[in-house]
């Protein structure tokens, strides 16, 4: 799924979902409330057209906006997805489908 991150206005694709690690939260959001820390977070690969260097980061669900499918350019995309298919969606690699069978 293609996403626009509303808090920073960049394109990305979800590589997997999880809670952001505590050390990442402390470094990037030191004044975050406990409520924010409990919200779902997603690891996303940021489109390199929106950043000068390849970046993977965590994004709180509240900051994600689903957009029309668009192919994201990122050097690690092949580590997670087989292809961006004709239906304009990312096809996850088998190991990722095993972890998230309903996505």
């Amino acid at each position: 799924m293609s996403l626009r991150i509303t808090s920073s206005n960049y394109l990305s694709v979800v590589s997997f979902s999880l809670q952001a690690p505590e050390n990442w939260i402390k470094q990037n959001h030191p004044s975050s409330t406990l409520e924010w820390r409990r919200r779902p977070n997603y690891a996303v690969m940021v489109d390199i057209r929106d950043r000068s260097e390849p970046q993977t980061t965590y994004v709180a669900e509240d900051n994600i906006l689903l957009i029309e499918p668009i192919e994201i350019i990122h050097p690690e995309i092949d580590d997670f997805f087989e292809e961006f298919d004709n239906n304009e969606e990312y096809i996850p690699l088998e190991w990722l489908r095993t972890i998230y069978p309903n996505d």
Side-chain angles (χ1 to χ4, degrees), residues 85-96:
D85 75 0
N86 292 335
N87 293 325
E88 298 186 329
E89 64 182 2
Y90 282 95
I91 305 302
L93 291 172
E94 187 170 337
W95 71 265
L96 197 56

Side-chain angles (χ1 to χ4, degrees), residues 36-55:
W36 185 91
R37 292 167 188 253
R38 292 183 179 154
R39 293 180 188 159
N41 282 256
Y42 297 85
V44 299
M45 290 178 278
V46 179
D47 193 313
I48 61 172
R49 293 172 289 196
D50 290 325
R51 293 287 187 268
S52 58
E53 297 289 326
Q55 180 183 7

Side-chain angles (χ1 to χ4, degrees), residues 55-100:
Q55 180 183 7
T56 300
T57 190
Y58 299 98
V59 177
E61 187 172 65
D62 297 2
N63 292 325
I64 292 176
L65 175 65
L66 296 178
I67 61 171
E68 290 296 315
I70 184 172
E71 191 164 6
I72 303 301
I73 300 171
H74 191 282
E76 296 173 359
I77 203 99
D78 292 338
D79 294 342
F80 296 89
F81 302 100
E82 292 177 9
E83 65 179 322
F84 186 73
D85 75 0
N86 292 335
N87 293 325
E88 298 186 329
E89 64 182 2
Y90 282 95
I91 305 302
L93 291 172
E94 187 170 337
W95 71 265
L96 197 56
R97 287 193 306 265
T98 300
I99 297 170
Y100 302 105

Side-chain angles (χ1 to χ4, degrees), residues 17-26 28-29 36-37 39-43 57-60:
S17 62
L18 44 74
Q19 285 303 118
E22 188 65 27
N23 62 340
W24 186 91
I25 293 172
K26 286 179 181 177
N28 293 282
H29 300 282
W36 185 91
R37 292 167 188 253
R39 293 180 188 159
N41 282 256
Y42 297 85
T57 190
Y58 299 98
V59 177

